[in-house]
Amino acid sequence: MPDPNKSLLERLADFLTPQPTSPAERRQELIDTLREAQTEGLIDADALSMIEGVFQVGQLCARDILIPRAQIDWIDISQPLSEIIKSVITAAHSRFPVFEGTRDNVIGTLLAKDLLRHSSEKDFQVRDWLRPAVFIPESKRLSVLLRDFKDNRNHLAIVVDEYSSVAGVITIEDVLEQIVGDIEDEHDIDEEADNLISLDNGDIRVKGITELEQFNETLGTQFEVEDIETVAGLVIQHLGRVPKMGELIEIDGVEFEVQRADPRQIHILLARQLPKKPD
């Protein structure tokens, strides 16, 4: 812990000189000191959050924040061009992994701008416009990945597991969000109607920012917690922490499965109502 007998500036200066403590201890001391600086009004809360995000990026790896394989919007090279165009327009992403045969055989990345700009040209072939796919292991550190994205001007990487199977994808936006928080771009959906989407298997795909009132109206539930307004807030309050991706949480007969989350917030969940237990 920081020495309370030293001034804030003295403690910050201490980090410029070698100390016998471990890097983890020094890191925590620095964070504690910066939090005190925020309390004293020397830095604002947004700056503190970003600094803490930088530390998190240094400790996380690709498997911690990747978009799982099941949630990827894939392009099958064998599809007719009309179907590919329809899929790209519906998903509204800028980049798509393209596979041939099986989804573990990724042959490249298709940019939406290339497809929509040139698809009307004579003899257009999707294969001719594929960009090389970038593959990374699940264990790759986010700090290293961010530098690679910047140096190589890539924006999407395919994450593979130890068996060389595709585990998911990760974008430069996913990494930056660990520092600055959720980034709303021109393709993000804001309408309340899209906060809750019914899936074919009966599950409900829920955005973490969905208000409890809207969730209750859709599922017929009666969740009401003082000072909690969103589904993500409900789950975090119930657990007492931010859950990890893939974690299952049961609250009053509803099971929540975390589909996408980072160390600071929940982005996407699946909700399913469990059968009522007999009295």
Side-chain angles (χ1 to χ4, degrees):
M1 294 294 292
D3 185 349
N5 296 319
K6 291 185 177 182
S7 70
L8 178 61
L9 291 179
E10 286 176 329
R11 293 201 296 274
L12 288 173
D14 284 344
F15 290 102
L16 302 178
T17 58
Q19 297 290 329
T21 55
S22 68
E25 292 174 330
R26 297 278 291 158
R27 186 185 302 114
Q28 187 57 51
E29 288 177 7
L30 177 55
I31 291 175
D32 291 340
T33 301
L34 290 171
R35 286 173 178 169
E36 183 177 340
Q38 190 269 324
T39 301
E40 295 182 7
L42 297 180
I43 59 175
D44 61 30
D46 289 337
L48 175 61
S49 178
M50 283 190 285
I51 293 171
E52 291 182 330
V54 170
F55 281 116
Q56 289 177 341
V57 164
Q59 299 175 46
L60 296 175
C61 56
R63 72 166 61 89
D64 295 319
I65 69 166
L66 61 76
I67 299 170
R69 175 189 180 113
Q71 294 182 28
I72 297 175
D73 290 307
W74 299 90
I75 295 296
D76 185 346
I77 194 68
S78 66
Q79 287 183 305
L81 178 59
S82 59
E83 290 297 318
I84 293 177
I85 293 175
K86 181 180 178 180
S87 297
V88 168
I89 293 175
T90 300
H93 300 313
S94 58
R95 291 167 175 79
F96 297 82
V98 181
F99 71 91
E100 184 172 28
T102 71
R103 294 183 176 182
D104 287 321
N105 182 31
V106 178
I107 60 174
T109 301
L110 177 65
L111 271 61
K113 67 178 183 180
D114 290 341
L115 175 69
L116 301 179
R117 184 180 300 167
H118 301 286
S119 60
S120 61
E121 296 176 359
K122 185 179 179 181
D123 300 326
F124 174 84
Q125 296 292 327
V126 172
R127 195 183 298 269
D128 297 336
W129 288 93
L130 297 183
R131 308 292 179 96
V134 176
F135 297 90
I136 64 170
E138 290 180 302
S139 58
K140 185 151 190 171
R141 290 286 179 182
L142 295 189
S143 54
V144 178
L145 177 59
L146 183 59
R147 185 169 62 248
D148 288 350
F149 275 145
K150 177 184 176 183
D151 293 344
N152 301 318
R153 298 187 178 182
N154 293 324
H155 289 254
L156 182 144
I158 311 297
V159 185
V160 295
D161 62 21
E162 58 184 313
Y163 304 104
S164 299
S165 297
V166 174
V169 298
I170 189 169
T171 68
I172 189 171
E173 179 180 299
D174 296 325
V175 181
L176 292 175
E177 284 182 342
Q178 305 309 305
I179 301 174
V180 300
D182 195 27
I183 300 173
E184 295 288 341
D185 63 24
E186 69 273 21
H187 301 308
D188 286 334
I189 300 171
D190 293 325
E191 293 83 359
E192 273 195 3
D194 295 295
N195 283 343
L196 298 147
I197 299 176
S198 297
L199 305 181
D200 293 339
N201 65 355
D203 290 351
I204 306 293
R205 185 176 184 270
V206 186
K207 293 172 69 174
I209 60 173
T210 303
E211 292 190 358
L212 284 177
E213 182 179 356
Q214 184 188 3
F215 185 86
N216 287 335
E217 290 177 356
T218 302
L219 276 77
T221 51
Q222 296 181 337
F223 290 120
E224 187 174 348
V225 181
E226 186 177 357
D227 297 328
I228 300 296
E229 298 181 351
T230 66
V231 175
L234 171 72
V235 173
I236 293 172
Q237 191 271 347
H238 178 80
L239 282 180
R241 59 177 173 79
V242 179
K244 297 179 181 179
M245 192 163 54
E247 194 165 345
L248 299 175
I249 303 97
E250 181 181 345
I251 307 176
D252 294 342
V254 177
E255 183 178 70
F256 295 94
E257 179 179 345
V258 181
Q259 289 286 291
R260 189 175 180 193
D262 59 48
R264 290 183 288 178
Q265 58 187 320
I266 302 172
H267 298 289
I268 301 293
L269 307 102
L270 293 180
R272 58 185 70 96
Q273 290 184 312
L274 301 173
K276 291 185 178 180
K277 298 178 181 178
D279 295 335

